[in-house]
Amino acid sequence: NLFEIGINEEPGVTAISTTFGPLSSKPLLRERSLSLDIYALLGISGGLGCTLTHTLVIPLDVVKTRMQTNPGEYNGVFDGAATITREEGIGALLLGTQATIVGYLWYGISVYPSYAFFKRFIASSLLSPAFAVAHANDVALVAGALASVIASLGLTP
């Protein structure tokens, strides 16, 4: 349903027509180029955020895994946590902490800068500006998929 239309009958000035109205043939210049410092900050903040959030749910993950592998042994999540703590100590709720920290630290460090890079690279180098604007969601999805591949290479080499 996309086609180019003239604007004010001026030659060379076009827009992409969509169901919701015309789009500009050029993206807005509101995005600035990202330096290595910005990519590093994306990696650091992503790594810390992923590590913190996933580390906080390790006890829940331990109980969930035990409930799946031993059905009927616990009468719910709270009973499972209390039983594991009583029988094995509080440390049993933190099994797998080191692997979780390392894995999600790598994931956060790699996926956020990679996503920003791929999104900008695809939109500015591989596609025309008009096509990139019209398909911004598709560009974001492809950039996210590529960033996830990069992150997965480190998690499961």
Side-chain angles (χ1 to χ4, degrees):
N1 205 17
L2 298 176
F3 56 93
E4 289 194 3
I5 58 172
I7 298 177
N8 296 332
E9 303 303 321
E10 293 181 33
V13 179
T14 60
I16 300 293
S17 176
T18 69
T19 306
F20 302 105
L23 292 174
S24 172
S25 62
K26 296 182 181 176
L28 295 175
L29 298 177
R30 63 180 174 221
E31 290 195 24
R32 59 188 173 135
S33 62
L34 298 181
S35 65
L36 288 177
D37 294 345
I38 299 297
Y39 284 112
L41 287 175
L42 286 170
I44 291 168
S45 60
L48 291 175
C50 284
T51 302
L52 177 65
T53 56
H54 286 85
T55 301
L56 289 176
V57 296
I58 289 173
L60 180 63
D61 196 37
V62 169
V63 174
K64 174 201 63 116
T65 303
R66 298 274 183 100
M67 290 176 72
Q68 289 174 333
T69 56
N70 303 317
E73 188 172 334
Y74 307 112
N75 295 325
V77 175
F78 293 113
D79 178 57
T83 303
I84 292 169
T85 302
R86 185 174 51 253
E87 292 177 0
E88 301 175 42
I90 193 78
L93 291 176
L94 300 175
L95 292 173
T97 300
Q98 297 88 350
T100 299
I101 289 172
V102 170
Y104 281 105
L105 181 65
W106 165 257
Y107 185 85
I109 286 173
S110 60
V111 80
Y112 290 101
S114 297
Y115 171 76
F117 171 79
F118 285 126
K119 184 177 168 193
R120 291 168 185 277
F121 178 76
I122 291 167
S124 65
S125 299
L126 299 180
L127 303 174
S128 69
F131 192 84
V133 168
H135 297 280
N137 289 340
D138 299 325
V139 169
L141 286 171
V142 170
L146 291 171
S148 294
V149 168
I150 296 297
S152 295
L153 291 175
L155 289 175
T156 54

